[in-house]
Amino acid sequence: MVKAAIATPSVASGVVALAPCISLDRISKGTMNRVLLPILGFVSAWFPTLPLAKTVANARFPLTQAEVERDALTWPSGKKRTRARVAKELLDSTFEFKKPGVLERITMPLIAFHGKDDKMTDPWGSQMLADRASSSSSEVRWVDDVFHDLCHEKPGCDVLCDEIIEWCRERINDKLASSSSSSLSSSS
């Protein structure tokens, strides 16, 4: 959604980002990653489905991890490595986001939720997103005691989903109020 908000600002009236992959700096500093990064383009082009990048299992929420592993439509972290093409695209996106003027093109309201101890994506990337967006309303809400899959990790996910719904409702109500007042003023 972040890339869509940058490319097409009219695509939505707001962005809710859950542990967005804005930065992989911390992860890419690992020893093996320093070896793989220079050849990632080649590997991605010739062996796109090669399981390459190590992932982390959700040890904090084993039931959530087991659910993901049973789901045939997911590629479970900790069980399987990220494929070369996916790793390359994610990394390229994070490089793009760091360029001056890119995140600044986000003009719609934005909220990012991120766990401070996220091992899959760098939490500080969410702060960078909120700080650099040109929106009149952008913020990060830090979530305690989570892994990465924020809307599936019990018990906190219900509270988090309620916060997301409330944030969206506020913006919908603001939009409805402003459009009804503008239609009232134009009809008089």
Side-chain angles (χ1 to χ4, degrees):
M1 188 60 196
V2 172
K3 287 179 93 170
I6 291 167
T8 314
S10 62
V11 73
S13 297
V15 174
V16 176
L18 302 173
C21 185
I22 305 300
S23 169
L24 291 172
D25 287 352
R26 184 191 64 208
I27 295 161
S28 63
K29 288 179 181 162
T31 306
M32 191 60 186
N33 288 329
R34 287 194 312 251
V35 171
L36 289 174
L37 288 178
I39 62 168
L40 186 57
F42 170 81
V43 174
S44 170
W46 288 95
F47 309 101
T49 61
L50 179 70
L52 190 64
K54 184 179 178 187
T55 59
V56 182
N58 187 347
R60 184 175 277 172
F61 297 92
L63 294 177
T64 302
Q65 179 70 28
E67 183 181 323
V68 169
E69 289 175 14
R70 283 190 307 271
D71 187 343
L73 300 177
T74 65
W75 191 260
S77 64
K79 194 82 165 170
K80 296 182 178 181
R81 292 174 173 261
T82 302
R83 293 176 176 178
R85 178 67 49 84
V86 173
K88 171 89 167 89
E89 293 300 322
L90 288 170
L91 194 63
D92 287 351
S93 291
T94 66
F95 290 155
E96 183 68 21
F97 293 149
K98 283 191 247 179
K99 291 179 183 174
V102 173
L103 292 177
E104 290 80 359
R105 292 194 304 234
I106 298 174
T107 56
M108 62 187 71
L110 163 81
I111 187 166
F113 293 88
H114 216 127
K116 292 179 183 176
D117 300 324
D118 193 323
K119 304 281 186 251
M120 299 293 289
T121 60
D122 291 343
W124 76 269
S126 286
Q127 188 64 57
M128 179 177 68
L129 171 64
D131 290 346
R132 290 183 42 204
S134 296
S135 170
S136 60
S137 168
S138 63
E139 66 177 297
V140 176
R141 292 206 189 149
W142 298 107
V143 185
D144 292 323
D145 302 317
V146 294
F147 172 70
H148 176 75
D149 194 3
L150 304 180
C151 284
H152 293 101
E153 297 170 357
K154 300 282 184 191
C157 67
D158 294 335
V159 172
L160 175 75
C161 289
D162 288 344
E163 285 185 52
I164 293 168
I165 291 167
E166 183 57 31
W167 187 87
C168 292
R169 275 192 183 139
E170 288 171 7
R171 272 121 199 104
I172 291 168
N173 289 338
D174 289 349
K175 200 165 191 110
L176 289 174
S178 70
S179 74
S180 67
S181 67
S182 67
S183 63
L184 287 175
S185 63
S186 65
S187 64
S188 6

